[in-house]
Each structure stands twice: as structure tokens, then as C-alpha cells.
DNA sequence: GCAAAAGTGTTAACAGTACACCCATGT
DNA sequence: ACATGGGTGTACTGTTAACACTTTTGC
């Protein structure tokens, strides 16, 4: 390959990260449990293009760092959290998707335990809900004051996403760039990753009740699960700590941890 | 984001493609069937770095094209085949993985029906076999004259591949860069994609016998399957054409096509 | 006692596995 | 006839889904 690295045009390379968490609401009474909700971390853009619109956190690669390190660095800047492992989602390189020029965006997704410690006031958690009807997806994001941001998303073939060269369509919704579609795809990957409970473990403290775990699943999957079946399914991955969590107006729950030698322990999300 | 696109250093961006095919050997007698083998398309490097070593086909992105188009173009140049859909495998951005400079490589994988029409004599098909023992993987590539290229591969966590910043280790095997590890990862993805038969369909003509299909599976998975079980598994995805393939020294087989309205027809590989 | 949630058992349906058996053909 | 592969049935297993039921707490 006769390639002089300085001879040709080079694109700018950016990393965008879809960060999910599951937050617990407040209890309504001494008896009822609170309902956890799935949320995604977004920033409000302060400049053109898409000024004032919501967008995924991200930024441009600098020399001497890998794309993943760019993602880690940007995440740390905006949220103060330490870098969780990232999973690759897609590469976006359509011309015209960013009016600033020739920009390639590498998108990753991950989950982190909830923390209010977002050092950047611009970054906030938005509740996520996904509706599906007849192949069409509707992404609904809700901020803490109840304001809704609705995006209609037409899904491309997940693994063949964005490999057409047609001019990128500017979306007509509340999110910058094609970020609504990215979030939906990340959510679908997160959901299918729950075949194994490792992503859920990252959202919980060291010891947790099986109901906690189930509620994380339900928040992510957006539907109720049957307790008996759920417990059988995750049984190989957890073990009792011996601890008990009581104090609520009903039978106390046993505490569990993830099993050290769980099957496929090193599997990625 | 206050970013002037011209202000910062930018990396070169390349696409590398792992192209698999399944080739039929020749029949040994009028009675025996030929055994298909899984193969991967490699080029022999003609320049430094890694001169004379085997490498994945690929090349650098030019302006006005997406990364996938780069992959398509390079594939066309080297094989003469038209672009099959690509699936994203990983992004490689470790410093030091390419001595020529700051180079990010986006790796894709795909399968194409076998054709000898490789316009570039440098590009050849190599038989692939993967051995596993105690978490270690051994990739064995064999060229048409029987010469073997063996690579020991220590697999990283698939989805978290290459997100460490440590200097990339130069592999001590027959393949350039970290391409042995990439091929192994692509093969594992191809294998898991066979839960659905769409990749296998791409390797066969419009109509095929169920034994053809099963042999494609066996070549990719590297193990024998039980006929009765295999047929039940793929039954929802195929339908009889009415045709018959005879002429061999045994009962003739029915011909099948992929069912038009197969379940998950639009699913990616 | 009672509401709420923790936790267990039972059943039917389904998918995956292994194996045994018969069928149709060209030589 | 016979070797070879095409093709089908069946029994065993484990997983999943649905539902019914019991247990334990705070008020």
C-alpha cells in the first residue's frame, strides 16, 4: 500500500456515547416500592449546529489517545464518573450529517450506576421510553420537570446502519443530528444484552435483592416480568449473601451478590 | 462544542474487511459428495510495514465517501465482486499498531458467494480453521498449495476489544498487524450469526439442497450437525421449489429457496 | 387482620439433542 | 445388491411461560 499519510485529506473523528442508567423514584407509601426508570444522559447544545437541542455527550479525538479514551475523557468531563467499559454501537460517516465538515462519529454505549454527580450542569438524565407500532419506533424522553421530547425513528438494518451514501436527512425532532436513532439502537442492544445479567449488575450495588434486579430488567425492557420465571433465569448468576433487607411493610428480602464464578463471567455486554 | 475543524490534528481512517466464503472441493467419486471449506480473502503485502506478510484487504478513506464505501471500493478493486452488505466488527485506534502514524482502522466482516474472479493476483482465498483449547485460540490458514500459516490468538473481551491504550503488541505470527485476532473475532461473529440462516443464504445459489445448506453451516461452525435436527431448525426459513437434483449415486434431493416472508427477514447478519 | 411483596411449586408448551429407521438412486 | 446420502419419526431433555399458592413482615 503506497500511502503517504500526509498526502491525503483526513476526516475529523469524534466519539459519541449513549450512557444509560436506572434511577429509583421515591416511595409513595411505607408499603409500596418505588419504581425505577431507565434514563439516558444527554447534553444541551450551546452552539450551532443544532443549537439548544438535546444531543449525546461526545467530542473529538485528540492525538495520543484511542477513540475509547476520547469517549472516557468526554464522559468524565461531563459526568465526573469513572469510565465504565464501552461497547461499540456504530460508525457514522455519511456526508452531510454534520454541517461543520467531514466528520466521522464512532458511537458507543454503556451503563453506569446512577449518580447525581454530573459536574456539567448542561448534562442531565432523561427518562427513556420506547413505543413500537408497525415497525415504527417512537422515542420519548422526559426531563425531571416532566417535559417530553418525542422523536419518530425509522430504524435501518442494525448491522448495516448508515452504509448508504445518500445525503443524511436532518431529523425533524427534538434531538440533534441522528442521535434519536442512535439512542434507539443502543437501547435495543442493551435489551438484547440482558440475556445475561452483567449490564444489570453494573446498575446495582454489590448486594441487592432479586426484586431490585428484576426491576432493573423491567425498566430496561419496558415490560413486566413474572417473578418465578425471572428468578429461575438469573439463579445461575447470583448467590445469597446471607443478609436480609427488612423495614418495609411486608416480608423482608434476602440479599444477593453476583456469583464470582458465574457462567460466561467475562462476556461483554 | 467550540470546534474548528481545521484546527486540530486528524487521524487517517482506514477500512479493513474480513471476507468469508465457502468453497466446494471436487468430488472424489460418483457417490461421495465434496466437502465445502470455509475460506477468508487475504492479500500479500508488497510494502512495509509487514512486507510479504498476509493481511486483510483494506485501504484508506477518501473524501466524499463513507467508511463503508471505502470498504466496498477496496473490495471491488481486489476481488471484482459487487459490494455485499457489511457488518461492523471493531474500531482499532491503539497507538503504535501501525508504524506509519496515527491511523484508525474500522473493521467490517461479510460473506460472499465464491468466485475465482479475483482481479488482483495478490488477493487469494485461504482455508480457515480455528482450534480452541483452554481459552486459547489457534487460527490456521491454508493456501491452495497446502502451505499453512498458524497464528496463536489471545482473545480480548469481544465488545471491549482494543479499548486499552497500552502499546499494541506486534504479533509473532504470519499475519500483519493484529489481523489474526480480527479474523478470529469475525469468525466468532459469523458463527453466532448462524442462529439465523441469512449469512448461509448469501453463500448459496437461489435454489439449493438442504444438504448444501447444512454443509455451509458445518464449514463455518467447524463441526458436524445432525441432519434431522438441522432440518427442523431451518425449516421456517426455506420452502421447496419443486425442483429435484439427481444424478448422484443415491436418492435425489429436493431443491429449496429461502422463504420470501421468512421470520426476521430484514435482520442483519 | 390485612395489604404488599417475598418466595415456591406445578403444569403445559416448546426447542434442542441423540438416535433409529426407512427411501430412492446409479452403478 | 449395495453403498451412499436423502428424509422422517420418536423419545429424552432442559428451558420458558403462565398461573396458583404459601410466607412474612409493618401497620
Amino acid at each position: 500500500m503506497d500511502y503517504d499519510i500526509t498526502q491525503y485529506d483526513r476526516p475529523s473523528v469524534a466519539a459519541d456515547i449513549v450512557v444509560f442508567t436506572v434511577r429509583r423514584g421515591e416511595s409513595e407509601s411505607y408499603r409500596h416500592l418505588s419504581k425505577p426508570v431507565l434514563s439516558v444522559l444527554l447534553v444541551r447544545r450551546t452552539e450551532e449546529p443544532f443549537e439548544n437541542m438535546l444531543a449525546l455527550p461526545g467530542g473529538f479525538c485528540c492525538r495520543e489517545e484511542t477513540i475509547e479514551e476520547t469517549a472516557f475523557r468526554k464522559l468524565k468531563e461531563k459526568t465526573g464518573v469513572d469510565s465504565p467499559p464501552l461497547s461499540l454501537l456504530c460508525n457514522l460517516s455519511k456526508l452531510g450529517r454534520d454541517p461543520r465538515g467531514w466528520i466521522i462519529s464512532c458511537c458507543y454505549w454503556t451503563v453506569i450506576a446512577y449518580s447525581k454527580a454530573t459536574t456539567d450542569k448542561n448534562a442531565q438524565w432523561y427518562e427513556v421510553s420506547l413505543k413500537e407500532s408497525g415497525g415504527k419506533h417512537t422515542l420519548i424522553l422526559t426531563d425531571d420537570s416532566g417535559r417530553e421530547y418525542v422523536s419518530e425513528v425509522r430504524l435501518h438494518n442494525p448491522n448495516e446502519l448508515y452504509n448508504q451514501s445518500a445525503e443524511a436527512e436532518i431529523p425533524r425532532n427534538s434531538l440533534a443530528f441522528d442521535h434519536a436513532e442512535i439512542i434507539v439502537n443502543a437501547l435495543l442492544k442493551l435489551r438484547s444484552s440482558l440475556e445475561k445479567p452483567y449490564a444489570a449488575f453494573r446498575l446495582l450495588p454489590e448486594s441487592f435483592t432479586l426484586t431490585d434486579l428484576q426491576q432493573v430488567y423491567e425498566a430496561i425492557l419496558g415490560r413486566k416480568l413474572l417473578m418465578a420465571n425471572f428468578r429461575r433465569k438469573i439463579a445461575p448468576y447470583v448467590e445469597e449473601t446471607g443478609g436480609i433487607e427488612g423495614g418495609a411493610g411486608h416480608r423482608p428480602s434476602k440479599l444477593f451478590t453476583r456469583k464470582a464464578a458465574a457462567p460466561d463471567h467475562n462476556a461483554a455486554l
Side-chain angles (χ1 to χ4, degrees), chain A:
Chain A
M1 284 169 204
D2 43 329
Y3 180 80
D4 174 4
I5 203 175
T6 61
Q7 194 175 335
Y8 297 98
D9 257 354
R10 296 188 296 277
S12 298
V13 174
D16 288 312
I17 317 105
V18 185
V19 189
F20 292 109
T21 197
V22 171
R23 298 185 281 172
R24 303 196 71 91
E26 294 302 312
S27 280
E28 294 154 25
S29 83
Y30 82 98
R31 231 167 208 163
H32 284 79
L33 292 182
S34 57
K35 194 182 61 137
V37 296
L38 177 68
S39 305
V40 65
L41 186 65
L42 299 176
V43 298
R44 193 168 285 283
R45 291 186 58 80
T46 55
E47 306 207 348
E48 287 297 337
F50 299 103
E51 190 173 356
N52 284 325
M53 293 179 83
L54 295 180
L56 294 170
F60 288 93
C61 284
C62 300
R63 199 179 247 295
E64 306 285 320
E65 70 179 2
T66 66
I67 309 174
E68 288 83 358
E69 287 169 321
T70 305
F72 289 156
R73 175 171 56 81
K74 285 289 169 184
L75 214 50
K76 181 88 178 174
E77 287 172 18
K78 308 229 188 243
T79 71
V81 294
D82 274 322
S83 45
L86 300 175
S87 299
L88 182 58
L89 184 62
C90 59
N91 289 337
L92 307 175
S93 53
K94 263 185 193 168
L95 279 174
R97 61 174 295 277
D98 191 318
R100 285 169 294 180
W102 188 21
I103 296 178
I104 288 173
S105 173
C106 302
C107 301
Y108 296 82
W109 69 272
T110 191
V111 298
I112 62 175
Y114 177 61
S115 142
K116 287 182 190 290
T118 53
T119 57
D120 186 328
K121 283 193 216 72
N122 238 4
Q124 278 186 7
W125 293 104
Y126 292 79
E127 180 177 342
V128 177
S129 107
L130 181 64
K131 295 219 163 67
E132 211 180 329
S133 66
K136 277 206 172 179
H137 294 255
T138 306
L139 177 69
I140 302 167
L141 303 171
T142 313
D143 69 16
D144 289 338
S145 64
R147 178 149 181 215
E148 286 192 352
Y149 302 83
V150 180
S151 307
E152 296 283 339
V153 172
R154 194 172 46 84
L155 274 194
H156 300 77
N157 198 326
N159 281 334
E160 298 167 17
L161 265 177
Y162 312 107
N163 59 1
Q164 302 305 318
S165 65
E167 283 288 304
E169 312 135 28
I170 300 294
R172 286 275 151 269
N173 54 45
S174 327
L175 266 73
F177 305 105
D178 38 14
H179 287 186
E181 184 171 354
I182 297 173
I183 293 171
V184 173
N185 276 293
L187 176 53
L188 296 180
K189 282 224 182 188
L190 169 59
R191 283 182 177 175
S192 68
S193 85
L194 282 189
E195 216 164 306
K196 303 268 161 55
Y198 303 112
F201 288 157
R202 289 205 199 149
L203 292 165
L204 291 169
E206 267 307 295
S207 77
F208 48 82
T209 70
L210 294 186
T211 302
D212 289 338
L213 186 57
Q214 179 170 347
Q215 287 183 336
V216 167
Y217 266 70
E218 290 174 342
I220 294 172
L221 297 176
R223 62 190 170 89
K224 287 282 169 198
L225 301 175
L226 294 177
M227 189 185 352
N229 302 337
F230 177 75
R231 291 166 114 85
R232 262 187 292 275
K233 185 192 166 101
I234 50 93
Y237 301 95
V238 296
E239 59 189 1
E240 292 188 35
T241 63
I244 290 263
E245 189 180 73
H250 52 75
R251 177 173 173 173
S253 356
K254 295 177 188 169
L255 289 173
F256 289 78
T257 347
R258 55 176 184 277
K259 196 177 279 184
D264 307 312
H265 185 57
N266 290 318
L269 290 186

